[in-house]
Amino acid sequence: SQFEVDLYQNESACQTHLDRQYHKEILKLEKAGGRKNYRIFTYTDHDRFTNLEEHCQKVTDSDHEVPSYLAERMANVRRRRQDRKPIEANSLKSKIITWEPSEEFIKNNHVINTPVQTMYVMGDLGPYGKLGQREYERVLCTIKVDGSGVITVKPDFTGTKGAYWIELDRQKRELWKYTIENASIQVQQEEEEREQRVFRDLYSRHKEYLSGLVGSEFEMTLPGALRLFVNGEVVSAQGYEYDNLYVHFFLELPDHWSSPAFQQLSGVTQTCATKTEDWDNVAYFCYPFTLEMFFSQENESEDCLPQWPVLYFEVLSLDFWQRYRVEGYGSLVLPASPGLHILTIPTWRPVELGTVAELRRFFIGGSPELEDMTYVRIPATFKGERLSRFGFHTETTGSVTFRLYCLQQSKAFLETSASRHRMQSVLDRLGGFSQQSSVYNVL
């Protein structure tokens, strides 16, 4: 740039080895008759401008932008190849944990140090006769090359989009337009074919690697059987009286359902503090869980509709004095259809009548609990004809949101002409889909 030419002409301004190299090249240029181009120039990886540009980079084009805390902290982190001496493998680190890290230590270890080399293609947009002033220099294009050889050009090549433009807020409001074109030499046909062969080789090796991970033996289910996978998440709990909530849940498998020996059918989330959102106190758990179940009906002539697995859960709170309180009970029948389901389940808790029980709950914690959590629905131990809850006092509390991704595998889903009629009957028997849905519609 003209600025660099004016600066490095004086040997006293040169500080680094690169500056002295520029000084020699400028003297050589002057002897050869000067430069042909004064407007377009570049700043390379280790120039002073590169440090300043990365330090002062803005997210938007607003003049009044205030950098965020993260932008300020990340401004000094240079994602570049650091000239560090390699540490010998046999030498042990004296300090594994740095209890009082310095600012420099934080900057150097904050991000993964991906080797990136950067070049800025600049334009000197100053008025004629006044070239070399820093305030008129603008970045036209940024080219980055990372350690794996990926070249990034920003903004992109112009192509059919039309020219980029830069507007200067001077007296005449000048508008500069420029295009970026790829002027690289076209690849020869032989090289292109060689590259395609390398790509095909790479893809085939990657395909073999993936198939090796998956394996060739795909476990199929028996006819009339169903495997159900549920990747679930306890998303949040909202609307409860006390803070610091956690959710305890377990899955009940009805008759003819089983699960692998390694499968955990219960879980407890972490304790989560709430925050206020739209007049509600919400605790975000984002607690993932995985369930795998297997349905098998030995006697295909059975006419009864099988039950679908039920997820029971209770919400509890824990305070500073380690007193816990039951905040609510709820249950969720796993969805019978595959795909994504987001369900918000309301809960309730049992209450004792009178002020003393509420005083006890407030001051010393604890509250009436269900001895058997399946009492939320119909208990598994109940064998009678009618279940009465007369005289059982409850209170509506908050709700819990679940996100469930359900996957089903069955031979009954095979779309062959021979098994279409059978598939319908198997689906009806597995979940009683058509009968149950018609009953639900009437209700």
Side-chain angles (χ1 to χ4, degrees), residues 185-199:
I185 302 168
Q186 290 296 320
V187 182
Q188 298 295 326
Q189 191 174 356
E190 295 174 7
E191 291 182 13
E192 196 170 352
E193 288 173 0
R194 194 185 313 132
E195 188 182 37
Q196 291 300 325
R197 280 199 299 273
V198 170
F199 278 144

Side-chain angles (χ1 to χ4, degrees), residues 322-427:
Q322 299 301 306
R323 299 172 301 192
Y324 80 94
R325 301 169 175 86
V326 173
E327 297 293 333
Y329 291 98
S331 67
L332 159 67
V333 180
L334 293 184
S337 57
L340 168 63
H341 304 270
I342 299 175
L343 305 168
T344 301
I345 310 298
T347 59
W348 52 265
R349 67 177 180 88
V351 293
E352 289 182 44
L353 296 180
T355 316
V356 177
E358 287 303 309
L359 285 170
R360 188 187 302 119
R361 173 179 162 84
F362 180 81
F363 284 106
I364 62 174
S367 51
E369 298 180 40
L370 295 181
E371 188 176 334
D372 181 7
M373 211 193 293
T374 58
Y375 191 74
V376 174
R377 301 181 81 243
I378 300 172
T381 54
F382 179 72
K383 300 297 182 186
E385 292 183 0
R386 294 177 183 82
L387 175 64
S388 172
R389 289 193 172 94
F390 183 73
F392 181 61
H393 297 282
T394 61
E395 179 181 75
T396 303
T397 55
S399 60
V400 180
T401 302
F402 291 87
R403 183 183 285 118
L404 303 175
Y405 294 88
C406 300
L407 187 74
Q408 296 178 4
Q409 180 194 2
S410 174
K411 274 195 173 178
F413 299 146
L414 293 172
E415 289 271 356
T416 59
S417 56
S419 64
R420 272 180 190 164
H421 178 72
R422 179 180 174 78
M423 179 179 72
Q424 185 63 35
S425 62
V426 169
L427 281 180

Side-chain angles (χ1 to χ4, degrees), residues 164-220:
Y164 298 107
W165 50 274
I166 298 173
E167 189 175 346
L168 297 180
D169 291 330
R170 292 209 292 259
Q171 295 174 355
K172 296 181 181 178
R173 289 187 70 84
E174 296 175 5
L175 184 69
W176 294 77
K177 292 187 178 181
Y178 66 97
T179 58
I180 303 171
E181 294 176 13
N182 183 8
S184 305
I185 302 168
Q186 290 296 320
V187 182
Q188 298 295 326
Q189 191 174 356
E190 295 174 7
E191 291 182 13
E192 196 170 352
E193 288 173 0
R194 194 185 313 132
E195 188 182 37
Q196 291 300 325
R197 280 199 299 273
V198 170
F199 278 144
R200 279 196 295 271
D201 242 5
L202 178 68
Y203 292 149
S204 62
R205 278 203 301 273
H206 189 61
K207 190 177 178 182
E208 288 171 12
Y209 167 71
L210 290 177
S211 61
L213 287 177
V214 174
S216 56
E217 296 179 4
F218 190 70
E219 189 180 348
M220 286 297 292

Side-chain angles (χ1 to χ4, degrees), residues 229-245:
F229 296 93
V230 177
N231 287 323
E233 179 189 354
V234 184
V235 180
S236 62
Q238 49 274 334
Y240 290 99
E241 186 179 359
Y242 287 90
D243 201 351
N244 297 322
L245 305 173

Side-chain angles (χ1 to χ4, degrees), residues 26-84:
I26 287 165
L27 294 179
K28 199 184 295 181
L29 266 173
E30 285 187 347
K31 287 178 185 175
R35 297 179 301 156
K36 293 181 180 179
N37 176 39
Y38 291 91
R39 293 276 186 190
I40 308 289
F41 57 92
T42 60
Y43 284 127
T44 54
D45 203 40
H46 296 286
D47 284 334
R48 295 179 195 177
F49 168 82
T50 310
N51 297 328
L52 291 170
E53 172 68 16
E54 293 186 349
H55 182 75
C56 306
Q57 211 161 21
K58 288 186 173 184
V59 180
T60 67
D61 56 359
S62 170
D63 295 329
H64 308 292
E65 181 191 339
V66 179
S68 66
Y69 171 78
L70 181 63
E72 285 182 345
R73 301 291 294 190
M74 294 293 291
N76 297 319
V77 180
R78 304 184 70 213
R79 294 171 65 88
R80 310 186 164 276
R81 195 190 308 279
Q82 303 290 338
D83 300 324
R84 293 177 180 172

